[in-house]
Amino acid sequence: MSRVFLTWAVTHSVKEVQREDGVLLFIIAWTVTEIIRYSFYTFSLLNHLPYLIKWARYTLFIVLYPMGVTGELLTIYAALPAVRQSGMYSVTLPNKYNFSFDYYTFLILVMISYIP
């Protein structure tokens, strides 16, 4: 899922999840991934790519990818009770546009979409 979505629409919007372990998990995974990625790009542009950076770029994803996905799913799961109780970002019928949207159900569908 998009980092913007998870950061704004879940973590920022649902204050109850901001202290959950899942947030720490995905933040660490994202941060380490970006440090490795941009170090790799920088050293590649300088035509001096250390073996350790190359190794980290193509090996650590084995740990970082599942770590990030787990953190994201735990964060969304932790947000579900608060979203259901508050009706956050949901639109109910009847309304002017004859349209409804349930953010709680949307979050569940997002979680299901992680299944390969």
Side-chain angles (χ1 to χ4, degrees):
M1 194 86 254
S2 163
R3 290 182 181 186
V4 173
F5 168 77
L6 197 63
T7 304
W8 179 79
V10 179
T11 308
H12 174 75
S13 298
V14 184
K15 304 289 186 214
E16 293 84 354
V17 302
Q18 293 177 0
R19 294 183 189 261
E20 291 289 327
D21 293 337
V23 174
L24 182 62
L25 207 56
F26 77 73
I27 293 293
I28 289 172
W30 290 357
T31 302
V32 172
T33 299
E34 295 306 320
I35 290 170
I36 293 168
R37 176 182 301 158
Y38 290 109
S39 296
F40 178 85
Y41 291 156
T42 301
F43 283 114
S44 292
L45 286 171
L46 297 172
N47 292 321
H48 180 70
L49 182 60
Y51 175 76
L52 183 63
I53 299 292
K54 185 177 182 179
W55 176 85
R57 170 86 165 124
Y58 294 110
T59 306
L60 289 182
F61 78 91
I62 296 168
V63 174
L64 294 173
Y65 183 79
M67 184 175 151
V69 167
T70 302
E72 292 170 18
L73 289 172
L74 287 172
T75 302
I76 295 170
Y77 183 76
L80 289 176
V83 169
R84 178 174 240 171
Q85 182 183 21
S86 69
M88 178 184 299
Y89 303 135
S90 297
V91 179
T92 58
L93 287 172
N95 61 48
K96 178 178 170 181
Y97 301 105
N98 201 27
F99 168 81
S100 71
F101 174 76
D102 185 27
Y103 188 55
Y104 176 83
T105 304
F106 176 75
L107 288 178
I108 291 172
L109 292 173
V110 165
M111 290 176 68
I112 291 170
S113 76
Y114 275 75
I115 299 171

